[in-house]
Amino acid sequence: MTIPLPFMLVIMLALFFISKISSETYTLTQFQSLPSGTRTTLVSKDGTFELGFFSPGSSTNRYLGIWFKNIPLKTVVWVANRDNPINSNTTKLTITKEGNLALLTENDTVHWSTNARAKAINVNVVAQLLDSGNLVLRDEKDNYSQNLLWQSFDHPSDTLLPGMKLGWEVTKDVNLNRYLTAWNNWEDPSSSLFTYGFSLSNIPETQILNGSSMLYRSGPYNGVRLSAVPSLRHRPMFNYDYDCDMTDTNECYYQFKPWNNSLISRMTLNQTVYALQQLFWVETTQEWNLSSTIPRDDCDNYKRCGAFGICAVMDNSKSPSCECLSGFEPKSPQNWVAGNWSEGCVRSSKRWRCRETNSDGFVVLRNVKVPDTRTCWINRSMTLEECKVKCWENCSCTAYANSAIVGKGSGCILWFGDLLDMKQLPDTAQDLYVRLDISQMANREAKVSSAKMVIMVTSIISSVITMLVILAFIYRRRKAKDIVKTKVERNDSNQEDLELPLYDFDTIACSTNDFSRDNKLGQGGFGPVYKGTLPNGRDIAVKRLSQSSTQGLIEFKNEVIFCSKLQHRNLVKVLGCCIEEQEKLLIYEYMSNKSLDFFLFDYSQSKLLDWSKRFNIINGIARGLLYLHQDSRLRIIHRDLKASNILLDDDMNPKISDFGLARMCGGDQIEGSTSRVVGTHGYMAPEYAIDGVFSIKSDVYSFGVLLLEVLSGKKNKGLSYPDRSYNLIGHAWSLWKESIPMEFIDSCLGDSYVVSEAIRCIHIGLLCVQYQSDDRPNMTSIMTMLTSESALPQPKEPLFLNKMVSLEEDFGQNMHYSTNEVTISKLEPR
Ligand SMILES: *[C@@H]1O[C@H](CO)[C@@H](O)[C@H](O)[C@H]1NC(C)=O
Ligand SMILES: *[C@@H]1O[C@H](CO)[C@@H](O)[C@H](O)[C@H]1NC(C)=O
Ligand SMILES: *[C@@H]1O[C@H](CO)[C@@H](O)[C@H](O)[C@H]1NC(C)=O
Ligand SMILES: *[C@@H]1O[C@H](CO)[C@@H](O)[C@H](O)[C@H]1NC(C)=O
């Protein structure tokens, strides 16, 4: 038999290329092939992953798969022909004329193929195994990333690798749903019925299913994470990025990444234990270790407590216990007591009447995994109040909640009928408002045992007496001093009514030992601060306006005005004031732990600030500032945020103080300018220091500096580095650029901090101190960044001190430093 010459050439060419594949290579081109009978494999460039043929366990079936190359324990992460095994040794992997990757048998029958749509005719397709473990098919002729024809990451088997997306994308051109399907058993990779993925719904959540029956649900995505998934602080090893913004994209997915890039990790749906496992490879013991698993406990099993039942796990055991929601009782008490909870609960009151104001109402359940949302109604733009009204109006609506928990929460989900699969969680889940008989609730509370009754009655009597005493006291004071309302002039000479209690000067003078030196706590913006103790034993802090200062008077009034209108747990509380002739005093709640700088910059004290305290302080300051910028009745720019203005209470909760320099911005105005630049060097945003332009973004800058100080335990100013042009921001930036951000963390914390949170905080800090104020996030975004795991933008290079130094020289004479304090003020515009 003779073979025509052209065919000969083709065959020879093919043989030439095949022989060029040594035992390993990382791309497969048209003309090359990978035969199933040999040990030839495709290896990723850095040698992490390997693609080849294998037979699991004692099976003789051959499969094409990807596994970790460097791990002695063969761990297959992807199988191409899982439902279509091959038995011959003559099958080969090639790229077909049409540009598909395919398994071809001897007589060129297609056994398995990528079935990618050919986009052009004249293509030059190659297959490549990337270092991420992704097998991609692309057109060489075109730009690299643009022409991905197919990728194995879009067709997961039972394993999710770092950077691989789990979830769906439905657009005009794409219709992808990436979910995990477990093997049937460890010797048989064929698809079982056991799957894990995102529900294809407009209230997305992840679910573990067996066929169509639900085994586990994560609770809906709430804008931050999946409702029942623990928050960031409980997951120190892995970062989870969600993209599930249902308003402008038609996709919903998440991906995970280990914080330490060199950690080898995977997430696998395991058919042996019927669970989703998050695993990482331990070099020393040469085995996979479990980082977490889902279901986590028995309460995670779907509908564990039936309708209207809520599941909680006892602290020390993993066994669950079910409770009916208040206002409900077990449908079958016998079964319930026996621990058979599946029948659930029913409304206990027969008198409940829909929309009757004395029996129908809503009660809030905090930190719960919200019920099954499969028959829910959702609207992402409604407020909670509108949501309540909507639920109230429809008698089959049984509960409502916000659909997103970012900020104060937004959006509306309504539940109809049975509430299924609720779980009590330890922290940071969602609040659910359940419709029930409120008269029944009142009855229940009335039915307390007689012993409790006695205690209650005595305590009521005693509190009544106390109140009478207080009233009498107030009455006497009113008589003594006729004014409780004070009129104070504001900056712009408007008159303002204030409701701030007045104290008389003698009482305060007496409580502070006549403003003795020993009672002096420090120096505030416009005068010294003293500790005092009122006759009733309450500790106070008293700020006394220096008598000579006119500037001080403006700041004093400013502070009186703001303090009387602002109330937030992260702002220091003003108890009252005293205005008597020459004397002007402000009386605050006393903070036993002084201010943040006292702890942060002192070697022995800084040890008392462990990571959780620091993280709490950062969050508290952010909340306080968010309140000032957005949520308070006034919109306020603080202008002098710094460590010494952050006071700490007994539990080390931060409170922002010193509003002497604060400015109010009406409604939409979020920027102002001044000819008098006041503030503290090192905390001042460049545009404020240079041009006198202040805005909420200049506060954000100061917050960024403060954040970096809390993380590093170092002052932004007064830091000496070999290269003098560097300040703390420059230091943070260079470590960030060198990818060693952890070097920045205060060394006194040792290893006892949550790496993921710390890195995220540095990242946020750098975003806040960016040179252009428009680049800086606002406090709403910062709050979201602190509490969620969403991807953060890359920070731009901040302005370093070398530029600031020349700025200082520019200002020269105009700048004055008060003693060795670091307050500068530019008195006149140049
Ligand atoms: C190709 O081979 C398979 C088995 O190896 C056989 O079932 C099939 O009929 C063959 N097809 C052709 C067209 O010969
Ligand atoms: C990351 O992991 C590698 C290997 O496990 C280890 O040597 C390295 O110190 C880790 N890096 C950090 C920053 O923890
Ligand atoms: C499934 O889990 C069991 C027990 O943890 C483990 O021995 C087995 O290797 C796991 N299987 C896979 C495919 O990871
Ligand atoms: C109440 O809501 C349900 C479910 O959305 C709907 O079918 C029903 O028509 C509504 N009833 C009223 C009175 O609006």
Side-chain angles (χ1 to χ4, degrees), residues 714-721 724 726-729 731:
K714 296 187 182 78
K715 254 195 168 93
N716 188 28
K717 207 189 166 195
L719 190 81
S720 61
Y721 281 95
R724 210 186 99 56
Y726 267 19
N727 61 355
L728 189 64
I729 297 172
H731 184 53

Side-chain angles (χ1 to χ4, degrees), residues 26-27 45 126-132 134-151:
Y26 61 92
T27 41
K45 214 168 195 167
V126 297
Q128 192 168 56
L129 184 59
L130 305 182
D131 295 338
S132 55
N134 194 5
L135 177 65
V136 298
L137 201 60
R138 59 184 173 82
D139 187 353
E140 275 274 84
K141 280 205 173 140
D142 265 305
N143 184 323
Y144 172 48
S145 57
Q146 300 298 314
N147 273 278
L148 212 56
L149 301 172
W150 177 92
Q151 57 176 336

